[in-house]
Amino acid sequence: MTAPLVAECALEAEHAAAPPSRRAGPCTMIIFGASGDLTRRKLIPALAHLDCDGLLDASFAVIGVGRSGNDGEFRRAMREAIDTAEEVRGTDPAARARFISRLRWVAGDLEDGATYRNLAECLRAIEGEHAHERGRLFYLAIPPSLYPDVIRRLSSSGLAPRVSDDRAAWVRIIIEKPFGHDEASARELDRLLNSAFSERQVFRIDHYLGKETVQNLLVLRFANSLFEPIWNRDHVEQVQITACESVGVEHRASYYEEAGVLRDMFQNHLLQLLTLTAMEPPNTFAADAVRNEKTKVLGAIRPITPELVPTVSAIGQYATGAIDGTPVRGYREEPGVSPTSRVPTFAALRLEVANWRWEGVPFFLRSGKRMPRRATEIAIRFRRPPHLMFPLRDREALEPNVLVIRIQPNEGISLRFEVKVPGVDVRLAPVRMLFSYADAFGTTSHSAYETLLLDCMLGDATLFTRADAVEAAWHVIDPVIEGWARLSGDIPTYEAGSWGPAAAHALIARDGARWREP
Ligand code: BG6
């Protein structure tokens, strides 16, 4: 086959420098579990960047809550986190120092009433006589087993009352994933949240929805007239959604041994990507209009019974291998992992969306750790032309058109199509037309957490998951988890650094296709 040529898309107008029109009002963010990784790696760098960009109010403050520590220790640790964070690089050091000075710490056990009294005291000191015009954003970055107790205490202590959303003194709560362990526990958690807050106060975060490229999927589909007419079963042959990572379980074994890849990546991130790909156009870009359409897609996914599981899915666990030439250990040898663990670190799943638009189009989802590289993409493969009038040479096959939405890294969109190779013969070759975010706009966009935290402060829930969608997603994934749990025998393995177990290749081959290697 002829090597692909590359054509590039150019920006037609100067759009990149438009100043943002959204800015948060006065508020305080309270992070429970602030000594954890998420605060250091994601939340604080995101807030610092928003602040340095002038998108937070001058009086914005953060209170970290954790078992032990004090203001000074918290500030020191966060200064280090900010200094090494990519998103904050190049910002004004004085602005960063100002941000650091607004960090506070409340030490205490989350199961102890005194912690909440101390937190109230700290909030009083920050809010002073402006309490009636400042929002409070509670972020639960804590193990899910602590959710019920913390939610009850937040409510009963009066720190997080049920209030209507349009008050200046709004109260919102962000819940990190995993939201429940299965459909039943997610419902239970929702019941608890509803007993304390109104749905409009609850923000279930899925950081994938804050990614620039994921949001761009909606723009690509619904701000262009070109794609929508062909975005259906008549023209699309199959969809592949991949989120692969080269990292292993890292230091998260205790969480991952409970979760596995189906709970960690499929129930949330991958199904969210599927809903955005398959949803009908909402009539407005308002939270409920968008979320209604997304939830309908989840409801239309053809149910998988546990008996069907081995036919429509494949799982695997990484064994010893090499990433970029460096030897790495297998999952079972990772610190904190049981030597007999059957937890999958890879899964592939064939889903069907049973509705007028998508009937018969397979959606292949795949995610795994310790794969050859980090890449997340959505690939829409179109049908081949019904009749080909051009002669093909020996062993030449016509490549279908493929539209790839590259979520990360090298964010962008590419379209593969056939062209004539210059010359006296009529010869075909696939080329790739490429739009790259970095080339078109530079690299200074906001991280997913920045987008989502700002949205939450502004009360915009469009990019957050509503209770019914979370439950519907569990409804899709639960039978798959259950199906595999019922099967006895050891879990298949794949070599670290490979594209997954043989069963995953067999799964897609049954549809006459093969996985892309993004
Ligand atoms: C998290 C998962 O939600 O997403 C991790 O818990 C995974 O296991 C991560 O590594 C991937 O996120 P990203 O943004 O790096 O693709």
Side-chain angles (χ1 to χ4, degrees), residues 85-296:
E86 207 164 296
E87 52 267 63
V88 196
R89 196 167 294 153
T91 53
D92 175 16
R96 296 203 312 244
R98 240 186 348 262
F99 172 78
I100 295 286
S101 72
R102 290 194 252 121
L103 303 184
R104 306 284 297 269
W105 185 261
V106 169
D109 199 317
L110 296 182
E111 284 156 335
D112 180 358
T115 308
Y116 299 81
R117 288 193 290 280
N118 294 339
L119 178 56
E121 187 62 35
C122 186
L123 272 166
R124 261 196 299 279
I126 290 170
E127 292 173 344
E129 55 207 45
H130 301 287
H132 60 288
E133 55 192 37
R134 282 185 72 91
R136 288 180 185 177
L137 168 51
F138 294 91
Y139 199 112
L140 302 197
I142 50 177
S145 55
L146 296 177
Y147 287 169
D149 199 44
V150 170
I151 291 166
R152 279 193 205 100
R153 287 174 187 274
L154 273 178
S155 172
S156 64
S157 63
L159 283 166
R162 185 193 291 269
V163 291
S164 78
D165 198 54
D166 43 14
R167 278 177 37 153
W170 50 261
V171 173
R172 298 182 189 126
I173 174 159
I174 296 188
I175 316 263
E176 258 297 334
K177 70 172 258 275
F179 193 91
H181 194 69
D182 53 16
E183 189 180 352
S185 55
R187 272 187 206 285
E188 192 51 45
L189 183 52
D190 275 326
R191 260 196 295 279
L192 180 67
L193 283 164
N194 292 339
S195 69
F197 311 108
S198 69
E199 174 65 23
R200 294 188 63 183
Q201 290 179 270
V202 180
F203 287 69
R204 296 168 193 80
I205 199 164
D206 180 328
H207 78 280
Y208 262 56
L209 292 177
K211 290 182 191 275
E212 202 65 61
T213 24
V214 174
Q215 293 175 67
N216 189 44
L217 185 52
L218 290 181
V219 177
L220 176 82
R221 288 193 56 197
F222 304 133
N224 294 295
S225 56
L226 185 63
F227 302 108
E228 210 39 32
I230 54 169
W231 208 263
N232 55 48
R233 65 188 305 276
D234 294 335
H235 299 278
V236 175
E237 189 178 66
Q238 61 159 255
V239 178
Q240 281 188 32
I241 303 180
T242 298
C244 49
E245 302 181 274
S246 55
V247 292
V249 68
E250 299 178 292
H251 48 276
R252 298 163 72 217
S254 65
Y255 154 75
Y256 204 84
E257 279 279 273
E258 286 290 309
V261 69
L262 287 159
R263 291 189 177 94
D264 187 46
M265 294 294 288
F266 280 69
Q267 187 273 341
N268 32 67
H269 310 326
L270 266 72
L271 282 182
Q272 288 298 327
L273 296 183
L274 183 150
T275 58
L276 292 167
T277 308
M279 72 195 268
E280 294 301 317
N283 60 336
T284 64
F285 190 49
D288 272 331
V290 174
R291 300 195 299 178
N292 286 345
E293 295 306 333
K294 287 172 57 192
T295 309
K296 277 190 217 160

Side-chain angles (χ1 to χ4, degrees), residues 419-495:
V419 295
K420 177 182 174 300
V421 179
V424 288
D425 291 338
V426 176
R427 285 189 52 213
L428 311 187
V431 291
R432 216 158 50 93
M433 195 154 71
L434 183 67
F435 153 69
S436 145
Y437 265 86
D439 293 348
F441 297 105
T443 48
T444 52
S445 80
H446 288 275
S447 73
Y449 274 95
E450 289 172 48
T451 304
L452 295 171
L453 290 173
L454 182 63
D455 276 3
C456 180
M457 290 174 204
L458 293 166
D460 181 352
T462 312
L463 300 178
F464 289 82
T465 322
R466 209 169 52 191
D468 51 353
V470 174
E471 288 164 19
W474 279 121
H475 197 74
V476 173
I477 295 301
D478 276 353
V480 184
I481 296 174
E482 195 192 317
W484 285 114
R486 271 195 209 170
L487 291 170
S488 53
D490 212 355
I491 181 167
T493 56
Y494 58 99
E495 196 182 324

